[in-house]
Amino acid sequence: MAKHDIGFAAVARLAGVSNATVSNTLNRPEIVAPATRERVLAAIEELDFVPNRAAATLRQGTNRLIGLVIPDIANPFYSAIARGVTEAAAEHGYTVALCVSHDDPHLELRHFEMLAEHRAAGALVAPLTADASRLAQLRRVGSRLVLMDRTAPEGTGCSVAIDDVHGGELAVAHLLASPAPASDRSIVLVNGDLAIPQCADRREGARNAFIAAGLDPDDLREVTVDEMTVDSGRIAGRRIAAETPRPTGVFCTNDQLALGVIRGLNDGGLAVPDEVSVVGYGDLALAADGRVPLTTVEQPKDELGRVAVEILLAELGADRAAHEHVTRTLEPHLVVRESAPLPA
Amino acid sequence: MAKHDIGFAAVARLAGVSNATVSNTLNRPEIVAPATRERVLAAIEELDFVPNRAAATLRQGTNRLIGLVIPDIANPFYSAIARGVTEAAAEHGYTVALCVSHDDPHLELRHFEMLAEHRAAGALVAPLTADASRLAQLRRVGSRLVLMDRTAPEGTGCSVAIDDVHGGELAVAHLLASPAPASDRSIVLVNGDLAIPQCADRREGARNAFIAAGLDPDDLREVTVDEMTVDSGRIAGRRIAAETPRPTGVFCTNDQLALGVIRGLNDGGLAVPDEVSVVGYGDLALAADGRVPLTTVEQPKDELGRVAVEILLAELGADRAAHEHVTRTLEPHLVVRESAPLPA
DNA sequence: TTGAAAGCGCTAACAG
DNA sequence: CTGTTAGCGCTTTCAA
């Protein structure tokens, strides 16, 4: 990279010091006499010297590199996390290695091997499937891991997650709060596979909202879709429009689904929000700009990424043995838009 | 990362070979006798040995690491590129360092310094602003660069771009092709700042379409917005709805703008596509799912990323001096949806 | 086909 | 506060 590869030796010679002093000016400037420091810095400038991190990594056994392992960078949920991660990492002088797993265990493992070869300081992982054995496999690599958007089982490691139970509760409480008495309301939950922890949590929150309102959670009507996409949402929306009693509110566990449901409801002759309110989840960019701006639960994705970095760095600082695993939970917020306005 | 840091020496001892042979087994297996190779591999397995890339990098002076430098990873255009880049890089055994510049020249420079310290093989850069001096500064770092979504000036380096002139032409040709004779049509271009090369190119394409249809390009009506957002689009849409003659088609140079324009047009009492057709640009996820599915120009973003990686790797393979700079141009495609349907 | 040996550039004791 | 020194683990001639 640097033209003619210059090392500490050349800088030291030009500055008239030893290379230990060059190292110190770079890594612990405070212990170097100001005058010496100036001379070294001048020599560095003069020679266009670029320190070689590979050498430092080799010597120290660890690299200021963090792996970010996610299923898909084009998915806005993950790319928002990635933004938080890159910002926080840059602030701390760490480089981020972007590893996209496409949720392929083989690929994911290869990424971990690469990170290990680079002697990465650790990795932030957002696994799509909860497969415990895979996570165990990951930890086996020995690297420090922080799980994102998933809670690590009992002291197996650090993690940051979003409180989806609370998010589900916010959504349904809002649907229940509208003018008519709660008992007259009929709410439908459109959800994905309950094996996905997020789906199960959001449902639990929805049921909690019923309980808090003095209703029987089993009165929550549920529709399950195979894929959490606009298209399946639309099909679900049509079906819901045809059912009786006509629902007063629909909570979809993601925004794509909600967008589809609104269309499906419209297809079936129901107006949103005039006849039915719809709440989504996730607050994707498309939420605000759909045919009806979506009321949705906003997840602090940026913060999730930032916090993951901070937890990892804290873990690195701690004594290997002394370290207590940390689990942080972030709170989502309701963003009220037209698809489910505030009660009048 | 590896438990107790094992090196070639330990593997060599266990396999009863020298460490040169271990190195060869890993890097040039074909020159090692099969029996020997087996023994080495077994020892590696046995010891859970993870090679140390820092050592290799130190020795070789270069790292199998590619920097991806973009203004914003949460922007779907860039995250789509990132997907192509990570896929292609992984296929070639390269690691991707994600560097988000927020279009801050300082930050960008710091990222380049980091890449240089890591002895990265090169960097793929998508600069938001075309500032030539900044690009020159980047090349000064000495690293191999490939510009993305921008054409490198005359032999200054490699680049991959999308043919936005052609894209603009596709969009307006489609608007002009609808049933009524071309001469009865009135087209409005809603565009951002012409100082942005993409905006200028798309406009040029739009004018080319007029010429191709035998019309005077100066008859293309133009509206310029400050920001290319949904909100400014909406304002522009309202203004356009109030103008006479009423336009038959509107071409917006990005999808956010198009979404806003549709709303603004609706606000002004014009139905899309019944009274006015609207074409966007970019084919973001939100294009398909807005209030009216958007006809738009799809940019091959994934491919842009993949091609950038390939160009970089080709450049690395070539002799430093012998290398000819490569400029590739990718063709966009029109995706026809409801906002501007095919002529009946 | 395999081995011996010389560093790559940096850090971290330790001594001065 | 600064210098000396001994590697970190790998690649790469050069010989055998």
Side-chain angles (χ1 to χ4, degrees):
Chain A
M1 305 292 285
K3 31 200 74 171
H4 206 32
D5 232 9
I6 300 298
F8 272 15
V11 176
R13 205 175 317 123
L14 180 60
V17 297
S18 72
N19 43 7
T21 300
V22 178
S23 178
N24 284 331
T25 13
L26 255 28
N27 303 313
R28 289 188 301 279
E30 66 283 1
I31 75 160
V32 176
T36 319
R37 196 194 310 155
E38 291 310 319
R39 245 178 322 130
V40 174
L41 259 16
I44 287 175
E45 181 92 354
E46 165 76 19
L47 294 172
D48 234 343
F49 165 69
V50 180
N52 186 332
R53 283 205 192 201
T57 298
L58 175 58
R59 184 58 228 253
Q60 300 182 130
T62 179
N63 201 340
R64 290 175 76 84
L65 178 73
I66 296 176
L68 172 61
V69 185
I70 55 182
D72 179 13
I73 186 63
N75 175 323
F77 178 72
Y78 297 113
S79 63
I81 291 178
R83 175 200 265 168
V85 168
T86 52
E87 285 177 5
E91 285 163 16
H92 294 276
Y94 277 74
T95 300
V96 174
L98 178 59
C99 305
V100 178
S101 65
H102 296 288
D103 207 48
D104 168 351
H106 276 19
L107 232 190
E108 192 170 80
L109 194 58
R110 281 220 351 243
H111 281 308
F112 273 87
E113 274 162 6
M114 256 186 158
L115 292 172
E117 292 180 13
H118 280 293
R119 299 301 187 259
L124 313 177
V125 191
L128 190 59
T129 56
D131 189 334
S133 73
R134 224 164 96 210
L135 293 180
Q137 193 185 38
L138 300 188
R139 299 211 187 274
R140 258 211 38 235
V141 184
S143 144
R144 317 259 192 162
L145 290 193
V146 176
L147 243 47
M148 298 186 297
D149 196 33
R150 172 143 297 140
T151 300
E154 284 303 312
T156 54
C158 296
S159 58
V160 217
I162 291 173
D163 187 348
D164 278 326
V165 175
H166 184 219
E169 188 166 351
L170 286 175
V172 172
H174 181 252
L175 251 15
L176 249 17
S178 301
S183 54
D184 286 2
R185 317 229 112 230
S186 176
I187 310 290
V188 178
L189 169 70
V190 180
N191 204 357
D193 188 341
L194 289 179
I196 300 171
Q198 283 83 351
C199 291
D201 287 352
R202 292 168 198 179
R203 172 176 182 268
E204 186 184 335
R207 294 174 57 93
N208 289 350
F210 265 62
I211 297 171
L215 302 174
D216 180 352
D218 290 335
D219 287 344
L220 174 67
R221 291 155 63 184
E222 301 191 30
V223 172
T224 302
V225 295
D226 293 333
E227 289 184 306
M228 299 180 70
T229 60
V230 175
D231 289 339
S232 0
R234 187 165 191 174
I235 294 168
R238 290 203 190 112
R239 214 163 75 212
I240 294 167
E243 288 177 5
T244 48
R246 173 203 287 179
T248 57
V250 180
F251 170 40
C252 304
T253 52
N254 84 8
D255 284 346
Q256 288 89 335
L257 228 34
L259 251 28
V261 162
I262 291 176
R263 300 197 151 200
L265 254 15
N266 291 349
D267 292 344
L270 289 185
V272 176
D274 299 331
E275 298 173 277
V276 194
S277 293
V278 175
V279 176
Y281 203 104
D283 198 28
L284 304 186
L286 47 75
D289 303 317
R291 66 168 62 182
V292 179
L294 205 60
T295 291
T296 188
V297 177
E298 180 202 3
Q299 301 170 286
K301 318 172 202 61
D302 253 74
E303 197 190 347
L304 179 5
R306 303 191 74 91
V307 169
V309 170
E310 270 142 32
I311 291 178
L312 180 65
L313 297 185
E315 191 173 356
L316 293 175
D319 274 339
R320 186 103 210 186
H323 172 74
E324 291 285 322
H325 292 311
V326 177
T327 292
R328 283 272 299 270
T329 302
L330 271 24
E331 293 305 325
H333 299 281
L334 189 72
V335 179
V336 179
R337 298 204 187 86
E338 293 173 27
S339 75
L342 279 175
Chain B
M1 305 291 284
K3 30 202 71 171
H4 208 25
D5 233 8
I6 298 299
F8 273 15
V11 175
R13 205 176 318 123
L14 180 60
V17 296
S18 71
N19 38 9
T21 300
V22 178
S23 178
N24 284 330
T25 326
L26 256 27
N27 303 314
R28 290 188 300 280
E30 66 283 2
I31 75 159
V32 176
T36 318
R37 196 196 307 155
E38 290 310 319
R39 247 178 320 132
V40 174
L41 260 16
I44 287 175
E45 181 92 352
E46 164 77 18
L47 295 172
D48 235 342
F49 165 69
V50 180
N52 186 332
R53 284 205 191 200
T57 298
L58 175 57
R59 185 56 226 255
Q60 300 180 132
T62 179
N63 200 342
R64 290 174 76 84
L65 178 73
I66 296 176
L68 171 61
V69 186
I70 54 182
D72 179 12
I73 186 63
N75 175 322
F77 178 73
Y78 296 114
S79 63
I81 291 178
R83 176 200 264 168
V85 168
T86 52
E87 285 178 3
E91 285 164 17
H92 294 276
Y94 276 73
T95 300
V96 175
L98 178 59
C99 305
V100 179
S101 65
H102 296 286
D103 207 47
D104 169 351
H106 276 18
L107 233 189
E108 192 170 79
L109 194 58
R110 281 219 353 241
H111 282 308
F112 273 88
E113 274 163 6
M114 257 186 159
L115 292 172
E117 292 180 13
H118 280 292
R119 300 300 187 260
L124 313 177
V125 191
L128 190 58
T129 57
D131 188 335
S133 72
R134 224 163 97 209
L135 292 180
Q137 192 185 40
L138 298 188
R139 298 210 187 274
R140 259 211 37 236
V141 183
S143 142
R144 316 260 192 159
L145 290 193
V146 176
L147 243 47
M148 298 186 297
D149 196 33
R150 172 141 298 142
T151 300
E154 284 303 312
T156 53
C158 296
S159 57
V160 217
I162 290 173
D163 187 348
D164 279 326
V165 175
H166 185 219
E169 188 166 350
L170 285 175
V172 172
H174 182 252
L175 251 15
L176 249 18
S178 301
S183 54
D184 287 2
R185 318 227 112 230
S186 175
I187 309 290
V188 179
L189 170 70
V190 180
N191 204 357
D193 189 341
L194 289 180
I196 300 171
Q198 283 83 350
C199 291
D201 287 352
R202 293 168 198 179
R203 171 175 182 268
E204 185 184 335
R207 293 174 58 95
N208 289 350
F210 265 63
I211 296 170
L215 302 174
D216 180 351
D218 290 335
D219 287 344
L220 175 67
R221 291 154 63 183
E222 301 190 30
V223 173
T224 301
V225 296
D226 292 333
E227 288 184 307
M228 299 179 71
T229 60
V230 174
D231 289 339
S232 358
R234 187 166 191 173
I235 294 168
R238 290 204 190 111
R239 215 164 74 212
I240 293 167
E243 288 176 5
T244 47
R246 173 205 285 179
T248 56
V250 180
F251 170 40
C252 304
T253 53
N254 83 9
D255 285 347
Q256 288 90 336
L257 228 34
L259 251 29
V261 162
I262 291 176
R263 298 196 152 200
L265 253 15
N266 290 350
D267 292 345
L270 290 185
V272 175
D274 299 332
E275 298 174 278
V276 194
S277 293
V278 175
V279 176
Y281 203 104
D283 197 28
L284 302 186
L286 46 74
D289 302 317
R291 64 169 62 184
V292 178
L294 205 59
T295 290
T296 188
V297 177
E298 180 202 3
Q299 302 170 285
K301 317 173 203 60
D302 253 75
E303 198 189 347
L304 178 8
R306 304 191 74 90
V307 170
V309 170
E310 270 142 33
I311 291 178
L312 180 65
L313 297 185
E315 191 173 357
L316 293 176
D319 274 340
R320 185 104 212 184
H323 172 74
E324 289 285 321
H325 292 310
V326 177
T327 292
R328 284 271 301 269
T329 302
L330 271 23
E331 292 307 325
H333 299 280
L334 188 72
V335 179
V336 178
R337 299 204 188 87
E338 293 172 27
S339 74
L342 279 176

